[in-house]
Amino acid sequence: MDRKIWNNVLSGLILFYSLGSMAAMLLWSPNWPISQDLTTALLISSLVCLIVLYVYNHYVIRKERQNWLKQTRHLEEEVGIRSEQLQEKNAQLKTFMEDIHHLGYYDALTDLPNRRLFMRHLTKALESARYQGRMFAVLFVDLDNFKVLNDNLGHNLGDLVLKKVGEKISTTIRPMDIVSRHGGDEFMVLLNEIATIDEAKQMIDSIHKSIREPFLLGTDMEIFVEVSIGVAIYPRHGDNIENLIKYADIAMYEAKNQGKNQSIVYTVEMHKYYARRMTLDNELRSALKNDEFSLYYQPQVSIKTGEIVGVEALVRWHNHILGAVNPSELIPIVEENGQIIQLGEWVISTACRQLKAWHDEGYHIPKIAVNVSPVQFNSEKLVSCVQRVLRDTGLAAPYLELEITEGVAIFNQRSVSNKLMALKRLGIQLALDDFGTGYSCLAYLSQYPVDTLKIDQRFIRNLQDRDNRMLVDTMITMAHNFDLKVVAEGVSTIEQYNYIRDKGCDEMQGYLISEPLNSNNLIRLVEMYSQKTTYIQSIS
């Protein structure tokens, strides 16, 4: 039974006993069977019982009050803890909602505004510009050759490059301007409230200058980044958001088409390029299947003996709609859409097959050189492709030379070295093409198993410049110190020939010898100049 019930029963009995004893004392008479002393004793005992009952009840009440206070304090503590937990959960929920909101409007990698937030700012800028009669500029910024850089550095360092570029643009523009990452290697910039187009150009030049400055990745890798920028200006080029973005995009592609690393303001004439680009993309899909590609061959001549020591195979595309397409227009597109892998394999196969056919016909051409795109070089299929082509065509490996660009060689040196060694084990020759145009470094000349260094034609074209001549002299000396052959590209004048001959250059190619020729015309050239010294005599 519950303690409270026992307490109440006991209290009732004692009280009943006490009240009975008091009544007996008050009503006592001599005629009662009990004495007055006994009645007095009963009364006293009842009083004692009442006192005990009072003390006991006081103790019980006090104990219960203490228990109640203890339980109350415990409940208060529990409520406090629950309240703190609730506040913490509310704070977490608030942070979570803020994070969701942030992710909805900011790029996860660079923490720059994303496309959605940029479009909001652009909408406000358009409304304000219409009301106040002001101009603003939309910039489409795209990193040049980022895919090559990303493939060679690795995606983690590639992401770091994107963050650095975003930071550089952010620190260059004004507080009222907005920079946004639109995905991949593309950024957009809103230049608010510009007074003149020249003002916009000055700000764009500042962006270019900032990005061109090298920055360090880690502690020892210095990276140079270049960008192409397309510019559209309200209200000159459009009065709605969609057109301004589209025209800035078109202008950016025009900047890339004109050599990259520059900014170009949109013009109406660029629509022709945009339409042509779409046609190019569409026609390329079936170009290989329709046998629209062909190879032309440019002779490489020994400066010392005058012999043809090889030919470089160059791809050409003639389309029934577009006509002859310039390689400088073709290659960037196939690199961008991924067709360069398939096209590159076709070039290697066709070149090897052609050289084997010439050999079978009795024409001794010592080697055929094929350019390997950076995208193709980074493909896992390259080594197996070369191995398969040599097996299928029957061409001996030493007759094939693959040319890789200097930009491929500088990044991820271990991976590049492993692939070059794998190619070298097949028995082919390797050349470093376009040397001096990007990231010249002595270290990889000693580390990589290359046989030939090719000096880019831009240096040969500008031999009249003293500093340029010093660079060419250094390249030739440096290559010979590493036991490499040196080929001068783009030799087109007697003066250029005389200079590289006097400096000890080994081989040359260019329009001074011959333009690129189809297979039939190349054989005619070989037959026409069968004497070892005829080439040299013909230009001396």
Side-chain angles (χ1 to χ4, degrees), residues 297-364:
Y297 307 90
Q298 188 170 40
Q300 297 173 335
V301 173
S302 168
I303 295 176
K304 185 176 181 179
T305 67
E307 295 178 284
I308 289 183
V309 293
V311 295
E312 181 177 358
L314 303 167
V315 67
R316 297 291 184 264
W317 180 29
H318 191 280
N319 179 261
H320 66 287
I321 296 176
L322 299 165
V325 179
N326 194 299
S328 64
E329 188 177 19
L330 166 66
I331 300 303
I333 296 176
V334 293
E335 284 185 334
E336 184 177 320
N337 63 23
Q339 287 182 278
I340 189 65
I341 304 295
Q342 187 179 9
L343 179 59
E345 291 180 357
W346 177 87
V347 171
I348 294 174
S349 176
T350 304
C352 290
R353 204 174 301 279
Q354 179 63 78
L355 185 58
K356 183 65 168 64
W358 285 334
H359 287 177
D360 292 344
E361 294 168 7
Y363 299 105
H364 181 67

Side-chain angles (χ1 to χ4, degrees), residues 40 75 153 171 196 231 267 312 351 404 419 442 449 487 490 538-539:
T40 303
L75 288 174
L153 287 178
T171 55
T196 64
V231 186
T267 62
E312 181 177 358
I404 65 168
K419 182 162 289 187
L442 293 175
V487 179
S538 68
I539 62 176

Side-chain angles (χ1 to χ4, degrees), residues 70-85:
K70 185 176 180 180
Q71 292 175 357
T72 302
R73 282 195 296 270
H74 178 72
L75 288 174
E76 288 175 349
E77 291 174 358
E78 186 70 22
V79 169
I81 292 172
R82 294 292 178 88
S83 177
E84 290 176 359
Q85 291 176 344

Side-chain angles (χ1 to χ4, degrees), residues 166-228:
E167 290 170 4
K168 286 191 173 189
I169 298 176
S170 297
T171 55
T172 304
I173 60 177
R174 303 165 300 178
M176 71 174 70
D177 302 324
I178 301 294
V179 57
S180 162
R181 181 179 177 230
H182 275 220
D185 59 345
E186 296 176 344
F187 296 84
M188 292 206 73
V189 180
L190 169 62
L191 300 180
N192 268 306
E193 299 181 12
I194 57 172
T196 64
I197 294 179
D198 287 339
E199 180 185 357
K201 289 182 177 179
Q202 290 175 2
M203 298 170 68
I204 294 166
D205 289 342
S206 297
I207 293 174
H208 259 300
K209 182 179 178 181
S210 175
I211 294 175
R212 286 191 189 111
E213 294 177 357
F215 54 86
L216 288 175
L217 290 184
T219 57
D220 58 353
M221 182 177 291
E222 192 174 49
I223 297 296
F224 295 84
V225 176
E226 296 175 345
V227 295
S228 297

Side-chain angles (χ1 to χ4, degrees), residues 281-421:
D281 282 332
N282 291 331
E283 292 299 314
L284 272 170
R285 300 178 189 277
S286 56
L288 266 177
K289 184 176 66 176
N290 295 338
D291 199 26
E292 296 178 6
F293 292 109
S294 61
L295 290 185
Y296 275 55
Y297 307 90
Q298 188 170 40
Q300 297 173 335
V301 173
S302 168
I303 295 176
K304 185 176 181 179
T305 67
E307 295 178 284
I308 289 183
V309 293
V311 295
E312 181 177 358
L314 303 167
V315 67
R316 297 291 184 264
W317 180 29
H318 191 280
N319 179 261
H320 66 287
I321 296 176
L322 299 165
V325 179
N326 194 299
S328 64
E329 188 177 19
L330 166 66
I331 300 303
I333 296 176
V334 293
E335 284 185 334
E336 184 177 320
N337 63 23
Q339 287 182 278
I340 189 65
I341 304 295
Q342 187 179 9
L343 179 59
E345 291 180 357
W346 177 87
V347 171
I348 294 174
S349 176
T350 304
C352 290
R353 204 174 301 279
Q354 179 63 78
L355 185 58
K356 183 65 168 64
W358 285 334
H359 287 177
D360 292 344
E361 294 168 7
Y363 299 105
H364 181 67
I365 298 174
K367 71 177 178 184
I368 191 162
V370 177
N371 282 291
V372 176
S373 157
V375 177
Q376 185 182 9
F377 182 84
N378 289 314
S379 168
E380 296 179 355
K381 299 179 180 179
L382 178 61
V383 177
S384 59
C385 168
V386 174
Q387 190 173 27
R388 184 181 66 253
V389 167
L390 292 174
R391 183 185 64 245
D392 293 347
T393 60
L395 181 70
Y399 291 118
L400 174 63
E401 180 180 76
L402 295 185
E403 298 180 356
I404 65 168
T405 60
E406 184 186 4
V408 170
I410 190 63
F411 298 118
N412 200 357
Q413 295 184 13
R414 179 176 296 180
S415 174
V416 172
S417 180
N418 290 340
K419 182 162 289 187
L420 291 176
M421 290 298 297

